[in-house]
C-alpha cells in the first residue's frame, strides 16, 4: 500500500494529516499557486510521495516535513511539452521543469522502456512519456527520413490494421502526417486525405485520439474536416487574411479540435532566433555544448520573420474562439532542445496574444485534458506531485518561468540532478578546447594492424545498416604508395531500399565514435583518391540533429588529390563534428575506390 493510500485511510478515519509524521513530505509555504487554470495568492502546498496531499494547507507543519520558502515565488504544475520527439536527451526535460512529454514519433523500444519504468515507479528523474510511437505516413513520406525504418501505408483499406498495430506496440494515440513539402524543402509523398480520414476513423474506432501533422492551411482545413482531434502544428505564412483565419478558427471550434502551434520549430524553419535562452545564465548553466549547437541551429537559411505572422494570427483567433491551445516545442528538431525550449514556447504564445495565464494553462491543464492524462497539469488534492517552483510571477511576466528554484518529479526534488548537470557543463566549458591538428594535418594512419588516427577513435566502416538498410562495405589495406602512404581500398555495395542509402569508411574524431569534437582549427579536408570513375561523397556529420552534409567528388582511375573546404558542408557547425566519411551512394550499385593521405589542414 502506498503512503498516500495509508494517509487516505487515516483521513477517512478522522485523523488529520498534520498530526502525522510525514517523513518524505514537503511543504511549500506562503507561495503563489498557479493550479493549472487559476492563480491563488499566499497558499501553502503539502505533497508527499508522488501526490499532492493538500493544495491549501493550513495546519501546523507536519513533523518531519521539509519546508520550502515560497514567499515571492510561484508554484506551478510541472510543465507538459505537448509536441516532442523523445529519442534522446532523456535527462534534460526535468532539469527545466518539463515533467511530461507528449511524443509525436519515436522508436518503439524507447516508448516501451519509458512505459515500463513509469509503471514500475522508477521514472522520477525523467519526464513521463505519452507517445504516438510510430507515425502514420506514406512510403518515403515525412517521418521516413530520420534513419529509423518504419511501416507506412497508402490506402484507406490499410488504416485499421495500421492503427491496431500501433496500439499493440503501446501507442497512446495516433499521429497522422499530411505533408507534401514546402517552404523550400523537398517535395515529399503525403498520405491522401482518404487514407488520413480512414486512419482517423480507425483510431476513433479504438477510442484513441487522432492528431494530424500539417504545414499548410489547406491541409489544416482538410484534417479538421476529416475529423482530426488536433492539429499538431500550425503553418508558416506572411500577410494572413483575417477572414480565412477566422473561418479556420471557427472550423476548429466547431470540430472540437485542439491545436499545438509549435512556435519553437516554426521559428527555426523561418530562420529567426526566437529569444535568447542561452543568454540567460541560469538556463545556459544547464546546457552542454552539443545541446547549445542544436538549440542555436536553424532549418531556415535566411531569416524570414514575416512568415510567423500567420501562425500568430491563427493562434490568437483560435484562442479567442475557445479552441484549446497546447504548448509544444517539437523538441528533437534543429533549433529546439528538450526542456529548455518550453520556456521559449511559453513566451512565443504570449507574443501571439495569449495572456501569461492562458500560456501556462497551455503547458499544464490544457494538454492534461486534451490528451486525457489524468491527475497531472494541476495542483489540487490527489494531483501528481510534478511541480515547478520559480522566482517571481510568471502569471504576469511569462519569462519568470526561467527563474527556476526547484523542480519535483513524482514528488522527488530534481535539485541533485540540476546540480550535477551544472557541474558537468562547467567542467565541459573549462576543459573545452579546439582539437589541435597534427603538424602535417594527416589523420589517416592505415596499417595492416589498424585503421589508426592521431586523435579520435580511428577509422571504421559506416553503412545504412544501423538505419535498417542493407548496404555493406569491405575495407582492405593495400601496399604502400611510392610516397610511403598506405591506401585503403573501399569496396562498397549500396543496396536499394532507403532514400539515403550509404556505404562508407568513416573517421571518428571523438574519443568515442560519434562523440563530437571542436574541429574549427581545420579549414580544409584534403585526400588522395582513385577508383572506378564513379561519384562519391565526402560526408560530415555534426552533433546537431538532422542529416549529414555531403560534398560530391569523382574517384577517377588515376590518383588525384582533392581539397574540400569545411565551409562547403552546409549546416555543419565546425565546433561540433562527430564524423567524417567517404561514402558511396545513395544510388544503389557496386563501388570501389582507394583512399590515402587524408589531412585536415588549417588552410
Ligand atoms: Zn514533430
Amino acid at each position: 500500500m502506498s503512503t498516500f493510500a495509508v494517509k487516505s485511510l487515516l483521513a477517512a478515519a478522522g485523523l488529520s494529516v498534520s498530526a502525522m509524521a510525514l517523513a518524505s513530505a514537503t511543504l511549500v509555504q506562503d507561495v503563489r499557486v498557479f493550479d493549472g487554470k487559476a492563480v491563488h495568492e499566499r497558499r501553502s502546498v503539502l505533497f508527499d510521495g508522488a501526490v499532492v496531499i493538500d493544495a491549501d494547507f493550513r495546519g501546523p507543519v507536519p513533523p518531519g516535513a521539509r519546508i520550502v520558502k515560497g514567499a515571492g515565488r510561484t508554484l506551478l504544475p510541472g510543465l507538459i511539452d505537448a509536441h516532442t520527439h523523445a529519442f534522446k536527451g532523456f535527462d534534460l526535460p526535468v532539469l527545466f521543469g518539463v515533467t511530461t512529454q507528449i511524443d509525436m514519433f519515436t522508436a518503439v523500444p524507447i516508448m516501451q522502456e519509458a512505459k515500463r519504468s513509469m509503471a514500475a515507479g522508477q521514472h522520477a528523474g525523467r519526464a513521463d512519456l505519452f507517445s504516438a510511437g510510430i507515425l502514420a505516413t506514406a512510403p518515403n513520406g515525412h517521418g521516413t527520413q530520420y534513419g529509423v525504418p518504419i511501416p507506412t501505408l497508402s490506402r484507406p483499406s490499410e488504416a485499421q490494421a495500421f492503427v491496431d498495430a500501433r496500439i499493440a506496440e503501446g501507442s497512446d494515440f495516433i499521429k497522422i502526417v499530411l505533408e507534401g513539402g514546402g517552404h523550400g524543402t523537398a517535395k515529399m509523398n503525403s498520405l491522401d486525405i482518404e487514407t488520413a480520414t480512414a486512419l482517423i476513423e480507425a483510431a476513433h474506432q479504438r477510442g484513441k485520439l487522432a492528431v494530424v501533422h500539417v504545414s499548410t492551411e489547406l491541409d489544416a482545413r482538410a484534417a479538421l474536416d476529416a475529423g482530426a482531434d488536433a492539429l499538431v502544428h500550425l503553418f508558416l505564412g506572411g500577410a494572413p487574411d483575417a477572414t480565412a483565419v477566422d473561418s479556420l478558427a471557427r472550423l476548429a471550434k466547431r470540430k472540437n479540435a485542439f491545436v499545438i502551434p509549435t512556435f519553437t520549430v516554426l521559428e527555426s524553419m523561418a530562420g529567426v532566433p526566437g529569444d535568447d535562452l542561452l543568454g540567460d545564465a541560469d538556463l545556459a548553466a544547464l546546457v552542454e555544448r552539443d545541446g547549445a549547437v542544436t538549440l542555436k541551429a536553424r532549418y531556415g537559411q535566411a531569416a524570414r520573420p514575416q512568415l510567423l505572422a500567420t501562425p500568430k494570427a491563427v493562434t490568437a483567433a483560435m484562442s479567442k474562439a475557445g479552441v484549446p491551445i497546447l504548448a509544444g516545442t517539437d523538441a528533437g528538431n534543429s533549433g529546439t532542445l528538450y526542456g529548455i525550449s518550453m520556456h521559449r514556447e511559453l513566451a512565443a504564445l504570449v507574443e501571439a496574444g495569449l495572456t501569461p495565464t492562458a500560456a501556462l494553462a497551455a503547458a499544464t491543464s490544457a494538454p492534461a485534458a486534451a490528451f486525457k492524462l489524468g491527475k497531472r497539469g494541476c495542483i489540487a488534492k490527489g494531483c501528481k506531485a510534478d511541480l515547478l517552483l520559480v522566482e517571481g510571477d510568471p502569471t504576469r511576466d511569462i519569462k519568470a518561468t526561467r527563474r527556476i528554484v526547484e523542480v519535483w518529479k513524482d514528488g522527488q526534488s530534481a535539485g541533485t540532478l540540476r546540480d550535477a548537470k551544472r557541474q558537468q557543463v562547467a567542467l565541459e566549458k573549462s576543459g573545452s578546447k579546439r582539437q589541435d591538428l597534427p603538424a602535417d594535418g594527416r589523420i589517416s594512419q592505415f596499417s595492416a594492424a589498424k585503421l589508426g588516427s592521431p586523435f579520435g577513435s580511428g577509422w571504421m566502416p559506416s553503412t545504412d545498416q544501423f538505419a535498417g538498410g542493407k548496404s555493406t562495405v569491405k575495407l582492405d589495406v593495400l601496399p604502400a604508395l611510392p610516397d610511403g602512404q598506405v591506401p585503403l581500398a573501399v569496396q562498397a555495395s549500396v543496396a536499394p531500399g532507403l532514400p539515403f542509402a550509404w556505404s562508407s569508411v568513416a573517421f571518428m574524431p571523438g574519443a568515442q565514435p560519434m562523440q563530437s569534437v571542436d574541429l574549427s582549427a581545420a579549414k580544409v579536408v584534403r585526400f588522395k583518391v582513385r577508383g572506378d570513375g564513379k561519384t562519391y561523397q565526402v560526408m560530415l556529420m555534426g552533433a546537431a540533429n538532422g542529416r549529414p552534409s555531403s560534398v560530391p567528388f569523382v574517384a577517377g582511375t588515376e590518383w588525384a588529390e582533392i581539397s574540400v573546404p569545411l565551409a562547403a558542408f552546409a549546416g555543419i557547425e565546425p565546433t561540433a563534428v562527430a564524423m567524417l566519411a567517404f561514402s558511396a551512394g545513395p544510388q544503389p550499385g557496386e563501388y570501389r575506390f582507394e583512399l590515402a593521405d587524408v589531412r585536415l589542414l588549417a588552410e
Side-chain angles (χ1 to χ4, degrees):
M1 188 180 285
S2 71
T3 52
F4 177 60
V6 170
K7 274 170 212 132
S8 304
L9 287 177
L10 290 171
L15 295 169
S16 87
V17 166
S18 61
M20 298 164 22
L22 298 176
S24 65
T26 303
L27 181 65
V28 185
Q29 275 183 325
D30 199 20
V31 71
R32 179 181 304 103
V33 174
F34 172 74
D35 67 5
K37 290 179 177 162
V39 186
H40 312 276
E41 298 292 336
R42 304 196 62 165
R43 284 205 171 165
S44 292
V45 176
L46 180 70
F47 56 95
D48 186 27
V51 286
V52 174
I53 303 288
D54 191 339
D56 186 14
F57 181 79
R58 308 211 173 180
V61 177
R66 178 187 161 210
I67 292 175
V68 177
K69 296 261 172 275
R73 297 170 168 174
T74 305
L75 189 67
L76 312 149
L79 304 175
I80 301 171
D81 188 336
H83 189 144
T84 73
H85 297 280
F87 59 89
K88 61 181 212 173
F90 303 112
D91 60 330
L92 295 179
V94 163
L95 304 177
F96 298 97
V98 172
T99 51
T100 301
Q101 294 194 96
I102 299 173
D103 168 80
M104 294 284 163
F105 173 32
T106 190
V108 170
I110 291 175
M111 168 179 75
Q112 291 176 342
E113 169 54 23
K115 284 171 179 294
R116 189 205 58 75
S117 106
M118 283 162 64
Q122 296 166 339
H123 217 66
R126 292 182 171 189
D128 284 351
L129 192 69
F130 294 88
S131 177
I134 293 170
L135 44 63
T137 194
N140 286 327
H142 176 73
T144 62
Q145 73 270 43
Y146 300 114
V148 185
I150 55 169
T152 56
L153 76 169
S154 38
R155 272 182 297 280
S157 59
E158 299 168 299
Q160 192 69 61
F162 185 94
V163 164
D164 290 349
R166 302 291 76 73
I167 294 171
E169 285 165 348
S171 295
D172 295 295
F173 57 94
I174 301 299
K175 152 102 175 270
I176 299 161
V177 175
L178 290 180
E179 175 61 80
H183 292 290
T185 58
K187 275 253 170 284
M188 273 184 271
N189 291 341
S190 180
L191 291 174
D192 57 40
I193 193 64
E194 291 75 19
T195 306
T197 306
L199 283 162
I200 292 168
E201 285 165 2
H204 290 170
Q205 191 69 32
R206 301 289 186 251
K208 298 289 183 191
L209 293 180
V211 306
V212 181
H213 163 117
V214 295
S215 66
T216 65
E217 184 188 342
L218 221 59
D219 282 346
R221 287 180 176 280
L224 292 169
D225 280 330
D229 295 295
L231 305 176
V232 300
H233 292 293
L234 284 179
F235 41 87
L236 293 174
D241 173 76
T243 318
V245 166
D246 276 349
S247 100
L248 181 61
R250 281 202 308 276
L251 175 61
K253 177 64 185 167
R254 202 162 60 241
K255 295 286 188 172
N256 263 323
F258 61 91
V259 170
I260 312 172
T262 63
F263 280 104
T264 306
V265 81
L266 294 181
E267 287 175 344
S268 173
M269 290 161 64
V272 303
D275 63 36
D276 185 13
L277 292 167
L278 294 173
D280 183 309
D282 288 357
L283 295 180
L286 293 164
V287 181
E288 286 169 86
R289 191 181 57 207
D290 286 3
V293 170
T294 304
L295 190 55
K296 279 189 272 188
R298 300 285 114 183
Y299 283 127
Q301 305 288 336
R304 293 178 296 170
Q306 67 277 13
L307 294 183
L308 295 165
T310 294
K312 282 185 184 175
V314 173
T315 300
M318 287 197 168
S319 173
K320 196 164 153 236
V323 174
I325 307 291
L326 275 53
T329 61
D330 213 356
N333 280 283
S334 283
T336 70
L337 190 63
Y338 304 99
I340 187 173
S341 282
M342 179 50 83
H343 300 279
R344 170 60 198 146
E345 190 66 26
L346 286 168
L349 289 172
V350 171
E351 287 166 25
L354 268 63
T355 63
T357 308
L360 293 171
T364 54
S365 58
F371 282 93
K372 305 181 175 72
L373 303 183
K375 297 215 133 205
R376 67 178 72 215
C378 53
I379 300 181
K381 183 178 175 182
C383 288
K384 206 162 176 289
D386 294 348
L387 299 162
L388 168 61
L389 181 66
V390 302
E391 289 293 350
D393 186 359
T395 67
R396 289 170 191 276
D397 170 16
I398 194 67
K399 291 193 177 178
T401 61
R402 302 171 189 201
R403 305 266 74 77
I404 297 171
V405 177
E406 192 155 355
V407 179
W408 291 269
K409 169 74 199 331
D410 295 339
Q412 293 186 32
S413 172
T416 7
L417 296 175
R418 283 169 49 85
D419 287 346
K421 180 62 85 178
R422 243 182 244 111
Q423 280 170 28
Q424 205 179 326
V425 169
L427 205 67
E428 187 191 51
K429 282 203 174 105
S430 65
S432 133
K433 67 175 182 72
R434 273 181 172 198
Q435 172 64 50
D436 288 331
L437 302 176
D440 58 5
R442 191 174 290 133
I443 54 168
S444 56
Q445 296 175 338
F446 303 145
S447 73
K450 65 173 192 166
L451 302 179
S453 56
F455 63 89
S457 38
W459 294 74
M460 52 194 72
S462 168
T463 72
D464 54 23
Q465 285 190 23
F466 87 87
K470 294 193 165 56
S471 301
T472 57
V473 68
K474 186 168 169 293
L475 307 178
D476 285 303
V477 174
L478 301 177
L481 300 173
D483 66 1
Q485 287 307 303
V486 175
L488 184 67
V490 180
Q491 188 104 36
S493 177
V494 177
L498 295 181
F500 47 88
W502 84 95
S503 167
S504 74
V505 61
F507 167 57
M508 300 291 176
Q512 306 294 327
M514 294 313 291
Q515 184 180 38
S516 75
V517 162
D518 182 346
L519 281 188
S520 58
K523 297 288 179 268
V524 173
V525 53
R526 197 176 85 191
F527 56 97
K528 291 180 182 145
V529 72
R530 71 171 175 182
D532 50 13
K534 292 186 178 164
T535 298
Y536 294 86
Q537 323 283 334
V538 189
M539 217 162 79
L540 212 56
M541 180 97 83
N545 298 309
R547 281 161 282 180
S549 180
S550 297
V551 175
F553 68 90
V554 174
T557 49
E558 299 299 322
W559 280 106
E561 189 170 78
I562 296 176
S563 291
V564 182
L566 291 194
F569 296 93
I572 303 290
E573 169 59 52
T575 56
V577 175
M579 180 179 96
L580 167 69
F582 296 83
S583 177
Q587 291 77 22
E590 298 299 319
Y591 296 80
R592 189 183 184 283
F593 67 98
E594 296 173 11
L595 179 71
D597 197 8
V598 185
R599 302 190 196 210
L600 286 171
L601 300 167
E603 54 195 325

